[in-house]
DNA sequence: ATTGATGCAAATGATTTGCACCGTG
DNA sequence: CACGGTGCAAATCATTTGCATCAAT
């Protein structure tokens, strides 16, 4: 059996072609796609999938901590199969979201935690500016 | 003339009672209200203001860098008249957004900037967890 | 066979837009 | 007076929901 299927089973989720397809897209892209963008990607190999299913599946994945939801202020959400806290940089020019793999965010959360009495379970760090290609 | 009025003028914005009211609300709250919440607050003293005007005004303020827009994943935006980069903590229990006044976020953005070739102009840091009152 | 997943279409909720009218500079 | 701002209602966009059907265990 395929590896994705066993990950889904680990979370007590039924294995369906739709779920495999959506999870596979997220694992194989660096684009941080929106629900709509995922739906577009699916139109090739799974033309009869429903947008509602994409939303429901993403919600299920989010609840089961298989994906994280991002919001860089565009008016919709984006999804990332990398669930570890890491920094996302949004280019105001090309509107791409880039992963910044630095382990600084987790560190600062701990520091902030100490001072404020707020018990931190996760964090999101967004940088805004211009990416290398657009400069 | 009142101080808020002169701030608006500095940005070449016409001074209207609606803008003064909205900006005043944002300057005097720690609640990080949504457009809808601001509209509710206005219903007392400005009962005939339009929700569309609230949205248009917030957009104008955002463009003129008088407010910043937050998104903690609730499906709407919240607004903060403190435009300096600072950390926001969202309590998953009471759904309040709390300011964390630490100057760490600006520091990390500089570090990340160096490594990635991404030119950072601003940043947003969100912490998720449980606030002091809810623990 | 049971239970949960899917697809469709309709509903919702947040935000935006068009346009006539009004108020500020 | 001119131009931008406001209010209203309608439109749009992202996301959710209800429900009948379908598929995985």
């Amino acid at each position: 059996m395929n590896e994705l299927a066993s990950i889904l089973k680990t979370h007590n989720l039924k294995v369906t072609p739709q779920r495999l397809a959506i999870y596979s897209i997220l694992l194989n892209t660096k684009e941080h796609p929106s629900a709509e963008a995922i739906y577009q990607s699916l139109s090739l190999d799974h033309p009869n999938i429903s947008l509602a299913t994409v939303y429901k599946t993403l919600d299920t994945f989010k609840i089961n901590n298989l994906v994280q939801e991002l919001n860089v202020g565009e008016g919709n959400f984006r999804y990332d199969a990398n669930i570890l806290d890491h920094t996302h940089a949004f280019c105001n020019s090309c509107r791409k979201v880039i992963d910044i793999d630095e382990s600084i965010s987790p560190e600062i959360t701990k520091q902030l935690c100490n001072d404020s009495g707020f018990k931190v379970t996760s964090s999101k760090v967004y940088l805004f500016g211009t990416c290398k290609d657009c400069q």
Side-chain angles (χ1 to χ4, degrees), chain A:
Chain A
M1 126 168 5
N2 119 29
E3 191 193 346
L4 300 192
S6 55
I7 295 177
L8 294 179
K9 284 194 180 164
T10 303
H11 292 263
N12 297 312
L13 298 175
K14 276 193 185 173
V15 177
T16 69
Q18 293 88 338
R19 288 180 172 178
L20 291 173
I22 293 169
Y23 196 33
S24 174
I25 285 175
L26 283 169
L27 285 171
N28 290 296
T29 183
K30 295 182 171 179
E31 299 296 317
H32 309 82
S34 63
E36 182 65 36
I38 293 168
Y39 179 64
Q40 306 288 356
S41 308
L42 289 165
S43 60
L44 303 159
D45 298 319
H46 300 262
N48 51 345
I49 203 168
S50 162
L51 182 54
T53 297
V54 175
Y55 277 106
K56 286 170 185 165
T57 301
L58 289 170
D59 195 49
T60 302
F61 285 177
K62 181 175 45 155
I63 289 168
N64 285 276
N65 207 37
L66 289 171
V67 301
Q68 66 168 305
E69 198 173 60
L70 310 179
N71 193 303
V72 289
E74 296 168 300
N76 58 27
F77 291 104
R78 287 169 174 256
Y79 296 88
D80 190 341
N82 177 358
I83 55 160
L84 299 174
D85 286 349
H86 62 288
T87 297
H88 292 100
F90 179 69
C91 176
N92 293 314
S93 175
C94 67
R95 321 218 105 215
K96 272 206 276 281
V97 176
I98 299 149
D99 285 317
I100 309 278
D101 292 315
E102 290 274 336
S103 56
I104 296 175
S105 0
E107 286 174 30
I108 69 155
T109 65
K110 282 175 215 145
Q111 294 180 41
L112 295 171
C113 185
N114 293 336
D115 300 342
S116 64
F118 189 95
K119 190 175 185 176
V120 179
T121 55
S122 71
S123 66
K124 292 198 197 304
V125 178
Y126 297 110
L127 306 182
F128 299 88
T130 313
C131 74
K132 201 182 281 180
D133 294 343
C134 289
Q135 283 171 41

